[in-house]
Amino acid sequence: MAAQRSPPRARARERERPGALASGNDQVHSWALVTSHALDTAWGIAKGLVMLAVSFLVAALCYFRRLHLHVGHRLKWWSGYLQRKFKRNLSVEAEVDLLSYCAREWKGDTPRAKLMRKAYEELFWRHHIKCVRQVKRDNYDALRSVLFQIFSQGLSFPSWMKEKDIVKLPEKLLFSQGCNWIQQYSFGPENYTGSNVFGKLRKCVELLKTQWTEFSGIKDYHKRGSMCNILFSDAILEYKLYEALKFIMLYQVTEAYEQMKMKKVIPSLFRLLFSRETSSDPLSFMMNHLNSVGDTCGLEQIDMFILGYALEVKIKVFRLFKFNSRDFEVCYPEEPLREWPQISLLTENDRHYHVPVF
């Protein structure tokens, strides 16, 4: 029996099926290629964006690092500047513990270091000095130490200053006593040689009078301390005040010399002063000693006597390098004429002075 043949349509569909399958595979492959290409493109874009972001981040980090270093450097500079201006420019520094200061300054086992440590211990235990104020080391520091204590303690004018207008003293020396030589007065390191010596001296003395009047009128100790911090951080004002003190000393020397010429009794310190060849009269005293103060040298011991006498204060000085001797404690002047207020200084070498705090 013959096998049955497939219908023609069935045979046609069988012939068309491989072509349809091939066409479907081509579409799938095409979509796969498109998808793969899209993914590759997207990944490339994303990778580029990520690399761009990383590059930007690295650049930003480098920039901020440089900015941080620059800002840090500027802040350090400004910090140092402000410290120099408002702290280090204080010519009389804040109180520090006496024994701590001694331990920092006098280390080692040299004979001088041992002597200084014993001297500071003597001040601490026997004289009840607990702190010290360091004073700027220059050729004005004796004047600075004395004036700082006068102002910080609110001491009043000397009696003779209350009776005379000290602002007019420069003209008085010139016109009343004929001291033309005062035009050779030197203003410390300025070495002024102009014709307006009297005008400059008058301004200096006027400033001293104004500041002294203001400080002596303040009753609050802490307010005086704050004002001292302001005043003793202004180098220009300080300089004028110290030159005024020098002139006050010169005026007292001139007055004593005039009294000596009239055979009047004068304090022994002035007789000692005029017995020296280099200070036999006010002019030689000014030229050989006073004009150098603030410039090339500070006050000598005889000058300290005159300063104490002129300001009517008893200046007690602890000379630490003279520990265990009769010269460990000295007073300028030794015998004040009346009950003058006392201020204290300490020195390690008779050249530079500091302010003790009891």
Side-chain angles (χ1 to χ4, degrees):
M1 186 173 172
Q4 293 184 356
R5 291 185 177 182
S6 299
R9 291 182 179 180
R11 288 196 300 269
R13 283 196 300 269
E14 290 177 358
R15 284 194 302 267
E16 293 174 357
R17 188 174 297 160
L21 290 173
S23 176
N25 289 336
D26 289 341
Q27 291 180 356
V28 171
H29 180 67
S30 176
W31 278 106
L33 289 175
V34 171
T35 303
S36 176
H37 180 71
L39 290 175
D40 288 342
T41 303
W43 170 247
I45 294 174
K47 185 178 180 180
L49 291 175
V50 170
M51 293 299 294
L52 181 62
V54 170
S55 300
F56 176 78
L57 182 60
V58 171
L61 289 175
C62 292
Y63 171 77
F64 283 112
R65 182 175 180 273
R66 289 195 296 269
L67 180 63
H68 175 266
L69 293 175
H70 176 73
V71 171
H73 176 74
R74 299 304 298 174
L75 288 175
K76 184 177 180 180
W77 185 89
W78 276 105
S79 176
Y81 171 78
L82 293 175
Q83 285 183 359
R84 291 191 300 272
K85 185 172 181 63
F86 296 106
K87 181 178 179 180
R88 295 185 180 179
N89 276 355
L90 279 175
S91 59
V92 181
E93 297 184 11
E95 300 175 8
V96 295
D97 180 75
L98 183 75
L99 295 183
S100 298
Y101 169 79
C102 171
R104 185 177 70 245
E105 296 293 323
W106 294 101
K107 301 175 182 178
D109 295 323
T110 64
R112 184 172 179 81
K114 292 179 180 179
L115 179 69
M116 286 298 172
R117 288 198 294 267
K118 290 180 180 178
Y120 275 106
E121 289 173 1
E122 175 81 3
L123 295 182
F124 186 87
W125 294 110
R126 180 166 294 185
H127 297 278
H128 309 292
I129 298 175
K130 305 303 181 185
C131 297
V132 63
R133 284 180 176 267
Q134 292 179 257
V135 178
K136 180 181 178 181
R137 290 175 176 258
D138 61 13
N139 290 316
Y140 281 124
D141 62 357
L143 294 170
R144 180 180 294 111
S145 301
V146 170
L147 190 63
F148 176 85
Q149 293 196 75
I150 289 176
F151 284 177
S152 64
Q153 295 180 25
L155 302 183
S156 60
F157 276 119
S159 58
W160 70 270
M161 286 189 186
K162 296 176 182 178
E163 300 168 359
K164 299 179 180 180
D165 185 1
I166 61 173
V167 178
K168 297 179 180 179
L169 294 184
E171 287 84 354
K172 180 178 183 297
L173 288 184
L174 176 62
F175 298 112
S176 300
Q177 299 176 220
C179 300
N180 294 325
W181 46 262
I182 201 173
Q183 296 181 59
Q184 301 176 63
Y185 182 93
S186 177
F187 293 83
E190 183 180 350
N191 294 319
Y192 179 78
T193 57
S195 59
N196 192 29
V197 170
F198 291 99
K200 286 176 68 67
L201 282 174
R202 184 184 180 94
K203 290 181 179 180
C204 293
V205 176
E206 185 175 14
L207 177 64
L208 176 65
K209 180 180 179 180
T210 301
Q211 292 293 327
W212 201 330
T213 301
E214 184 175 3
F215 276 95
S216 62
I218 298 174
K219 304 304 178 183
D220 184 78
Y221 171 80
H222 297 288
K223 185 175 181 181
R224 288 199 304 269
S226 299
M227 291 185 61
C228 279
N229 289 337
I230 296 174
L231 176 61
F232 288 88
S233 61
D234 190 324
I236 296 177
L237 290 183
E238 280 191 75
Y239 160 80
K240 293 180 180 179
L241 292 173
Y242 305 145
E243 290 302 320
L245 290 181
K246 285 170 54 180
F247 173 75
I248 294 298
M249 293 169 62
L250 179 61
Y251 174 80
Q252 286 293 333
V253 169
T254 305
E255 287 283 287
Y257 186 74
E258 294 297 321
Q259 292 176 5
M260 185 181 71
K261 289 196 303 183
M262 293 186 291
K263 307 301 182 181
K264 293 184 178 181
V265 178
I266 62 174
S268 58
L269 66 96
F270 290 108
R271 290 197 301 270
L272 175 63
L273 176 72
F274 297 136
S275 67
R276 302 189 306 177
E277 292 184 0
T278 57
S279 57
S280 57
D281 54 44
L283 173 59
S284 59
F285 170 69
M286 183 187 76
M287 297 299 295
N288 297 325
H289 299 278
L290 202 61
N291 276 356
S292 300
V293 173
D295 183 17
T296 59
C297 67
L299 296 184
E300 301 176 9
Q301 280 191 285
I302 186 65
D303 302 326
M304 295 291 286
F305 282 107
I306 298 171
L307 180 63
Y309 180 86
L311 302 181
E312 293 187 357
V313 293
K314 182 180 180 181
I315 306 174
K316 184 176 183 178
V317 179
F318 295 97
R319 304 168 75 203
L320 304 188
F321 66 103
K322 294 289 186 179
F323 179 63
N324 275 340
S325 74
R326 58 178 299 180
D327 295 326
F328 177 60
E329 298 177 44
V330 295
C331 291
Y332 307 109
E334 294 177 343
E335 299 177 357
L337 300 181
R338 53 186 66 85
E339 292 299 321
W340 291 346
Q342 176 176 300
I343 61 177
S344 299
L345 310 178
L346 64 86
T347 179
E348 298 172 348
N349 52 23
D350 267 352
R351 293 190 303 274
H352 300 294
Y353 295 85
H354 297 307
V355 176
V357 181
F358 292 86

